[in-house]
Amino acid sequence: NKELVGYYISKNELSEKDLHDFLLQRLPDYMVPTYFVHMENFPLTANGKLDRRSLPEPEVKIGADFVKPSNRIEKKLVEIWSELLKLEKNKINIKKSFFELGGHSLHVTMLVNKIKKDFQIEISLRDIFSYQDIKSLSEFIQKADKFGYFTIQKAEIRPFYKLSAAQKRMYLLQQMNISSIAYNIPYIIQLDRETDKVKVEKIFLQLISRHESFRTSFELLGEIPVQKVHDTVTFKVEEYSIDKSEENDFRNKFSQAFDLSKAPLLKAAIVEIRGEGRLLMVDTHHIVSDGVSSGILKKEFLQLSQGEVLEPLSLQYKDYSEWQNSESQQKKKAEQEDYWLKQFREEIPALNLPVDYSRPIMQSYEGANVNYL
């Protein structure tokens, strides 16, 4: 995961908390650095510019204000934070905010799930933002109501499966504009020169076999959208050779609209940038992938490329979507729906925002890239 690091020069080293609080009053929280590094001078290149590559890696320091876990709940939370944030357990201060240590929105969702499972309590995203450090979170857990934690069960084998709420929304939006690439998730993996097409293709076939999402297509059964998991699919890795000047145009052309009725909703290409190196360009549709999934795919691709054997998966996404559509979950959904219908039973006021240009009647997703140093 990428982290924001602040490097500063001062006569004396300043408190990270003071720096964090000072910037938080002037910047949105996502722009406040996770780590701060005190330096006597910034490293410069031969022509006098900042030498970013020579900046030191940040360290999680144990200061005078460091507090260790003192009970079972705090120790368990330290283990969970260590796993999520990839930090050594002995460097986690139980009075330091989850977000100061590098936590972000995806981490919060995973943190909620792990706390529910390990402590069998009811906890929400809002609670994590209210009790940001282990000390206060531990006190909340001690007082929270207990409940039985139920794991998601494997779905019965069927020709078709129900869609999750998120999949229904994306399916509908894609059908409204079948040429849209608004829900494509493209990313790049750097390849070694000796990694050939045959090896890359073999790895992707392993990943497709492992993850049912990459063998899933979507269609209408009557008037209801459903998903179908195929036993096998055809997949080929493409190969291209381009000049450096063509890279941006190629990236734009590489992302094309997916036909949701045809699996896999995944494509990959090895791109030789003449004189530069080789890239693996990957594109998936959001209906079968997300930010966490992309990270898992990258990680497992690298593991398989190094010859590692991966543990079998106990659950697939269809198991989750079937659980979400179960009678118990639908009852909770009906309660939430009733609440929001009451909130908006009157006419909903228009939200008039100050904008630079008039909004088009139809959303277009047109935009531009601005690069700067």
Side-chain angles (χ1 to χ4, degrees), residues 185-313:
I185 305 179
Y187 52 91
I188 289 174
I189 299 174
Q190 192 79 36
L191 288 180
D192 295 330
R193 290 192 176 275
E194 59 270 17
T195 306
D196 62 12
K197 177 184 172 182
V198 174
K199 181 178 180 180
V200 171
E201 214 163 68
K202 181 181 178 182
I203 292 171
F204 268 105
L205 289 172
Q206 288 178 274
L207 292 169
I208 290 169
S209 174
R210 176 177 171 78
H211 296 281
E212 287 182 356
S213 290
F214 294 131
R215 292 182 277 115
T216 300
S217 61
F218 300 82
E219 58 188 84
L220 287 174
L221 194 60
E223 296 183 353
I224 300 174
V226 292
Q227 55 185 318
K228 178 180 176 63
V229 178
H230 301 264
D231 293 332
T232 59
V233 293
T234 301
F235 182 83
K236 296 291 182 184
V237 174
E238 302 167 358
E239 270 191 306
Y240 299 94
S241 180
I242 61 173
D243 291 326
K244 179 67 177 175
S245 60
E246 301 174 281
E247 186 177 349
N248 286 336
D249 286 338
F250 182 85
R251 288 189 190 189
N252 293 331
K253 292 176 182 176
F254 179 69
S255 282
Q256 299 293 322
F258 284 101
D259 180 349
L260 300 188
S261 68
K262 297 179 180 178
L265 300 178
L266 164 75
K267 62 182 293 190
I270 296 174
V271 183
E272 176 83 32
I273 311 293
R274 287 189 278 267
E276 294 283 333
R278 306 173 83 222
L279 305 174
L280 175 64
M281 290 191 179
V282 182
D283 197 12
T284 63
H285 195 281
H286 197 7
I287 201 168
V288 296
S289 184
D290 61 10
V292 173
S293 307
S294 299
I296 292 171
L297 184 66
K298 291 178 189 177
K299 178 184 175 182
E300 291 188 353
F301 179 90
L302 294 173
Q303 288 176 311
L304 291 171
S305 68
Q306 292 165 5
E308 293 185 33
V309 178
L310 304 180
E311 290 290 327
L313 298 175

Side-chain angles (χ1 to χ4, degrees), residues 73-283:
I73 295 177
E74 290 174 357
K75 289 176 181 177
K76 185 61 182 177
L77 286 174
V78 166
E79 289 180 12
I80 293 172
W81 287 30
S82 172
E83 180 186 347
L84 292 180
L85 303 178
K86 302 296 185 287
L87 294 173
E88 294 178 31
K89 286 184 280 190
N90 60 0
K91 291 186 177 179
I92 295 178
N93 186 340
I94 68 165
K95 285 199 171 183
K96 197 157 188 178
S97 164
F98 184 74
F99 304 98
E100 285 183 70
L101 290 170
H104 54 61
S105 57
L106 290 177
H107 286 143
V108 172
T109 304
M110 292 187 282
L111 178 60
V112 166
N113 291 333
K114 284 184 175 293
I115 289 175
K116 282 184 176 181
K117 181 178 179 180
D118 291 346
F119 296 101
Q120 299 195 4
I121 64 162
E122 193 60 60
I123 187 170
S124 67
L125 295 175
R126 180 182 292 180
D127 295 326
I128 300 298
F129 286 96
S130 299
Y131 307 99
Q132 295 188 12
D133 59 72
I134 288 176
K135 185 70 176 175
S136 59
L137 188 56
S138 170
E139 293 169 358
F140 168 82
I141 290 172
Q142 286 178 325
K143 298 173 184 176
D145 294 332
K146 300 283 183 180
F147 76 100
Y149 182 83
F150 297 97
T151 57
I152 295 174
Q153 301 299 312
K154 288 186 72 66
E156 295 178 6
I157 298 175
R158 301 192 188 101
F160 300 99
Y161 299 92
K162 296 176 181 178
L163 303 190
S164 68
Q167 287 177 320
K168 288 177 184 176
R169 178 176 60 83
M170 281 183 275
Y171 182 85
L172 176 63
L173 291 171
Q174 189 70 44
Q175 300 315 302
M176 291 170 66
N177 183 2
I178 59 173
S179 62
S180 171
I181 60 170
Y183 284 97
N184 284 40
I185 305 179
Y187 52 91
I188 289 174
I189 299 174
Q190 192 79 36
L191 288 180
D192 295 330
R193 290 192 176 275
E194 59 270 17
T195 306
D196 62 12
K197 177 184 172 182
V198 174
K199 181 178 180 180
V200 171
E201 214 163 68
K202 181 181 178 182
I203 292 171
F204 268 105
L205 289 172
Q206 288 178 274
L207 292 169
I208 290 169
S209 174
R210 176 177 171 78
H211 296 281
E212 287 182 356
S213 290
F214 294 131
R215 292 182 277 115
T216 300
S217 61
F218 300 82
E219 58 188 84
L220 287 174
L221 194 60
E223 296 183 353
I224 300 174
V226 292
Q227 55 185 318
K228 178 180 176 63
V229 178
H230 301 264
D231 293 332
T232 59
V233 293
T234 301
F235 182 83
K236 296 291 182 184
V237 174
E238 302 167 358
E239 270 191 306
Y240 299 94
S241 180
I242 61 173
D243 291 326
K244 179 67 177 175
S245 60
E246 301 174 281
E247 186 177 349
N248 286 336
D249 286 338
F250 182 85
R251 288 189 190 189
N252 293 331
K253 292 176 182 176
F254 179 69
S255 282
Q256 299 293 322
F258 284 101
D259 180 349
L260 300 188
S261 68
K262 297 179 180 178
L265 300 178
L266 164 75
K267 62 182 293 190
I270 296 174
V271 183
E272 176 83 32
I273 311 293
R274 287 189 278 267
E276 294 283 333
R278 306 173 83 222
L279 305 174
L280 175 64
M281 290 191 179
V282 182
D283 197 12

Side-chain angles (χ1 to χ4, degrees), residues 12 61 66 76 106 130 139 191 224 315 318 327 373:
N12 300 307
K61 296 181 179 179
F66 187 87
K76 185 61 182 177
L106 290 177
S130 299
E139 293 169 358
L191 288 180
I224 300 174
L315 292 172
K318 74 169 191 307
E327 186 176 343
L373 294 176

Side-chain angles (χ1 to χ4, degrees), residues 1-8 13 16 34-39 41-43 51-61 86-87 91:
N1 295 319
K2 292 183 178 180
E3 305 287 4
L4 193 60
V5 182
Y7 296 87
Y8 69 96
E13 187 170 357
E16 283 195 8
T34 303
Y35 305 105
F36 293 92
V37 179
H38 175 249
M39 302 188 70
N41 296 289
F42 290 142
D51 185 359
R52 293 174 181 269
R53 293 185 178 182
S54 296
L55 290 170
E57 290 286 329
E59 293 182 7
V60 180
K61 296 181 179 179
K86 302 296 185 287
L87 294 173
K91 291 186 177 179

